[in-house]
Amino acid sequence: MVVPVYKSKYFDNDCKCTDEDKKMAVRQMIDRTSAFLGRLNCLVIGPGLGRYDLMPEPLTAIVKMAVDKCIPLVIDADGLHYFSQISAQIENNAEIVLTPNIIEFSRLWTSSGFDPEILIDKSTGKIQPLKGHCVELSKYFGNVTIILKSHEDVI
């Protein structure tokens, strides 16, 4: 089920909205999500989310609410874009699943302060994360589960 919880015009980075309008939009996103959160078995964050400067604030609140209610989370696509910014809210939670592809994994790896050169296969010159890299990034983010989508998936 996809539930629209925000009006993108207020989140658009080029929005000519007032700060008050933006605060209202953030509050509405949090409130709308909170209203149905207790009925969910799982919350997926990411596909179709978009990349907006305002997004980390409501996502942090929503992730915190889900974690507090022990609702498993799947974070994919644009949700991964924000993950490094919101990860402090989800330490030590194995009920969170990240599903990056190789490029998304590389961005998470680098934004977390790890050396991106470690991910490069010297024989091919291509990014090739290994299981050990997934384990290391998982520990960094508080033991979340990582499903690396590739020609051979790594969990």
Side-chain angles (χ1 to χ4, degrees):
M1 166 175 77
V2 175
V3 179
V5 292
Y6 72 97
K7 294 181 180 175
S8 62
K9 74 176 186 176
Y10 293 112
F11 282 83
D12 191 320
N13 295 333
D14 297 326
C15 180
K16 304 296 184 227
C17 312
T18 67
D19 286 344
E20 196 58 39
D21 287 338
K22 291 178 181 181
K23 287 178 185 175
M24 177 202 60
V26 166
R27 185 77 248 154
Q28 282 181 344
M29 182 179 179
I30 295 167
D31 290 346
R32 287 178 179 158
T33 304
S34 178
F36 64 80
L37 201 56
R39 297 179 290 173
L40 299 179
N41 294 321
C42 177
L43 177 63
V44 179
I45 297 176
L49 189 60
R51 295 185 181 187
Y52 305 109
D53 294 341
L54 281 180
M55 198 56 74
E57 182 182 345
L59 283 183
T60 299
I62 290 165
V63 167
K64 178 100 173 81
M65 285 187 297
V67 167
D68 289 349
K69 292 179 182 277
C70 298
I71 297 170
L73 289 157
V74 175
I75 302 177
D76 190 33
D78 284 338
L80 294 168
H81 172 74
Y82 300 105
F83 190 74
S84 293
Q85 297 172 52
I86 65 173
S87 64
Q89 299 297 320
I90 52 177
E91 293 178 15
N92 299 315
N93 194 330
E95 297 224 6
I96 294 175
V97 179
L98 306 181
T99 59
N101 60 33
I102 288 178
I103 299 302
E104 292 165 334
F105 183 91
S106 177
R107 288 182 191 138
L108 280 171
W109 181 265
T110 303
S111 69
S112 300
F114 293 106
D115 180 4
E117 294 298 315
I118 293 173
L119 299 179
I120 304 211
D121 182 325
K122 303 299 182 215
S123 64
T124 65
K126 294 181 180 180
I127 297 171
Q128 189 55 55
L130 303 172
K131 185 174 184 173
H133 299 122
C134 288
V135 169
E136 195 167 347
L137 195 60
S138 170
K139 287 180 183 176
Y140 177 82
F141 286 129
N143 297 317
V144 299
T145 299
I146 297 177
I147 300 175
L148 174 61
K149 301 177 290 190
S150 182
H151 64 283
E152 286 186 26
D153 296 343
V154 177
I155 300 174

